Amino acid sequence: EKGVEKNPSSTIINARLAEMYLASGKRDKAREYIAKALKVDQSSALALIIQGFIELTASNTELARESFDLALN
């Protein structure tokens, strides 16, 4: 989180934090950081893929598919 403090508008740092929170089972925190990442760059493939995995863990398959599709375009 120190990286975000130094550079709060970094898509990569926010996306990676979201990924780490997801891996530790903290989906709400993961959603918070992925939203920040996508606010900076809504077309970031990395952020969209992580968002897709967040939604898959919540059984939101349609939202997950949309995120994955956007990442591929």
Side-chain angles (χ1 to χ4, degrees):
E1 291 187 4
K2 288 184 180 189
V4 169
E5 290 174 14
K6 291 181 181 180
N7 193 356
S9 63
S10 171
T11 301
I12 293 172
I13 292 172
N14 280 296
R16 290 297 185 189
L17 265 174
E19 185 177 34
M20 290 188 333
Y21 278 117
L22 180 62
S24 65
K26 298 178 181 175
R27 188 183 313 126
D28 290 339
K29 201 74 167 161
R31 278 192 171 122
E32 176 185 331
Y33 281 97
I34 209 62
K36 290 178 183 181
L38 289 167
K39 184 176 181 182
V40 174
D41 182 1
Q42 64 188 22
S43 64
S44 167
L46 173 65
L48 288 164
I49 289 168
I50 294 169
Q51 182 180 47
F53 283 114
I54 291 168
E55 296 307 329
L56 274 179
T57 66
S59 298
N60 295 328
T61 55
E62 188 57 36
L63 290 174
R65 183 186 319 206
E66 288 175 18
S67 294
F68 293 138
D69 284 345
L70 286 170
L72 293 172
N73 292 322

